[in-house]
Amino acid sequence: MAMSLAREWVGIQQFPVATQTKLHELLGKLKEENVNNLTILVMGKGGVGKSSTVNSLLGERVASVSAFQSEGLRPIMCSRVRAGFTLNIIDTPGIVEGGYVNEQALDIIKRFLLNKTIDVLLYVERLDSYRVDSLDAQVIRAITDTFGKSIWTRSAVVLTHAQLSPPDNLSYEDFVSKRSDAVLNYVRAGAGIRKKEFEAFPIPVVLVENSGRCRTNDLGEKVLPDGTVWIPNLVKQIVDVVSNGSKAIFVDQKLIDGPNPNNWGKRFIPLILALQYFMVIKPIKGIIKNDLASEKRPAWELRDMGLANHQF
């Protein structure tokens, strides 16, 4: 099914006690801000770990994951309730097919989201990708065209496969920094985000390792090579995005239909008419008036004018 009813978040009990405590504290922070419902949209290309991240975040296998099976064509929404707080996570199909942006997939996603509010967008990429091409910026541009530029003020970049050994003798920190900068640069380019806009609403980058080979600390929590306990850190970044002062994105019919080109053209009608009058009609009227004033009138017309003025 594409959508499920909200049910008790039992998956949180699968986490170590230390992780559960941190998650409850973070969700409690949102409740203090009168936020009792959170909807997270997960998007990206296929095979980057979107569904695995959803499963890890919930502590449950709610999204199907297979290395030998293509992704589903429809989004799914998983809703969980805990201590009066409702968490909705929407997993979406990859939006690239055959080396091009799949417009059909985007259309299915946005229609699925009709009358829903997007609180946070998680844009998922892989940390262990070593190059950026024009398709990356096209994907960002397509998301921007679909949901509006403001979606990026409510976003975070998630880099999966974070349990890696960097190439070229780079330190883990240096490799993460270079890869993060590369992804943020094409996000800014594809979305048309200016420097001041990015400084006002910076996009956080979060590292994730969904595989069973992720290391754990003494408390049993999943940690990255730099020591970060990544599940609470991901939730913390989500909470920070919700609290950054930007507005959530409500997906209404107007957003789905997109801008009406006829309405856009109507804005220019008064300007066109004004230009037409001052640059065409008025000069022509002036020319005609001058021609009439300077024209030599025939004798019969002068005679008739004299009669009309009672001149005999």
Side-chain angles (χ1 to χ4, degrees):
M1 292 180 64
M3 188 180 303
S4 61
L5 297 175
R7 64 188 194 195
E8 188 68 19
W9 186 8
V10 295
I12 196 173
Q13 300 172 7
Q14 305 302 316
F15 297 130
V17 174
T19 297
Q20 292 185 45
T21 301
K22 293 170 186 174
L23 295 182
H24 280 118
E25 290 175 354
L26 289 165
L27 298 181
K29 179 182 177 182
L30 287 179
K31 292 186 69 174
E32 290 175 0
E33 299 177 7
N34 294 321
V35 177
N36 297 307
N37 192 300
L38 179 65
T39 299
I40 301 170
L41 176 65
V42 183
M43 295 190 72
K45 294 177 289 186
V48 294
K50 299 185 301 296
S51 298
S52 295
T53 300
V54 172
N55 291 338
S56 294
L57 190 54
L58 289 176
E60 305 175 40
R61 186 179 175 83
V62 294
S64 177
V65 179
S66 173
F68 306 102
Q69 183 178 353
S70 61
E71 295 178 317
L73 294 177
R74 291 191 59 80
I76 61 169
M77 184 168 81
C78 305
S79 299
R80 297 293 182 266
V81 178
R82 186 74 176 183
F85 187 92
T86 302
L87 176 63
N88 307 302
I89 305 182
I90 301 172
D91 187 23
T92 62
I95 55 177
V96 171
E97 183 176 350
Y100 297 93
V101 174
N102 188 339
E103 298 293 342
Q104 181 185 10
L106 277 171
D107 187 67
I108 291 173
I109 291 169
K110 68 180 181 180
R111 293 187 183 281
F112 177 87
L113 294 170
L114 179 62
N115 295 327
K116 295 182 179 65
T117 298
I118 303 171
D119 295 300
V120 178
L121 166 67
L122 295 183
Y123 180 74
V124 183
E125 258 286 9
R126 292 179 64 133
L127 177 63
D128 59 350
S129 294
Y130 302 108
R131 67 188 182 95
V132 172
D133 55 36
S134 60
L135 181 60
D136 295 313
Q138 292 174 31
V139 170
I140 300 301
R141 193 175 303 117
I143 293 174
T144 306
D145 291 342
T146 301
F147 298 106
K149 185 177 179 179
S150 59
I151 188 73
W152 298 106
T153 66
R154 281 274 177 157
S155 70
V157 169
V158 173
L159 299 180
T160 61
H161 296 262
Q163 187 83 33
L164 58 73
S165 298
D168 303 326
N169 295 319
L170 285 173
S171 70
Y172 186 80
E173 289 73 15
D174 286 343
F175 180 81
V176 168
S177 177
K178 290 179 181 295
R179 176 61 176 154
S180 298
D181 288 344
V183 174
L184 290 176
N185 283 339
Y186 79 66
V187 168
R188 288 182 58 188
I193 302 173
R194 298 176 182 175
K195 182 178 180 180
K196 288 186 177 179
E197 294 172 327
F198 186 76
E199 290 174 348
F201 296 102
I203 301 174
V205 177
V206 193
L207 304 182
V208 163
E209 178 54 64
N210 294 303
S211 74
R213 64 191 180 94
C214 185
R215 292 187 303 157
T216 58
N217 61 15
D218 294 338
L219 299 175
E221 300 177 290
K222 292 184 176 182
V223 296
L224 302 176
D226 63 357
T228 301
V229 182
W230 76 259
I231 292 179
N233 184 55
L234 173 57
V235 176
K236 179 183 181 302
Q237 297 300 331
I238 291 171
V239 171
D240 288 347
V241 169
V242 174
S243 306
N244 70 7
S246 61
K247 291 184 178 180
I249 308 300
F250 179 69
V251 182
D252 56 11
Q253 191 64 48
K254 183 178 179 181
L255 187 148
I256 289 178
D257 293 339
N260 188 331
N262 294 326
N263 290 337
W264 178 260
K266 289 177 183 178
R267 299 181 182 184
F268 297 98
I269 291 178
L271 177 60
I272 293 172
L273 292 176
L275 290 173
Q276 187 179 41
Y277 175 78
F278 286 107
M279 297 183 70
V280 180
I281 298 176
K282 191 173 182 180
I284 291 175
K285 289 175 68 176
I287 292 171
I288 294 173
K289 185 176 181 180
N290 291 335
D291 286 348
L292 290 176
S294 60
E295 182 182 8
K296 289 186 177 181
R297 303 178 188 277
W300 63 267
E301 186 174 349
L302 294 173
R303 185 190 62 204
D304 289 348
M305 291 178 64
L307 289 173
N309 294 326
H310 303 289
Q311 296 175 3
F312 299 94

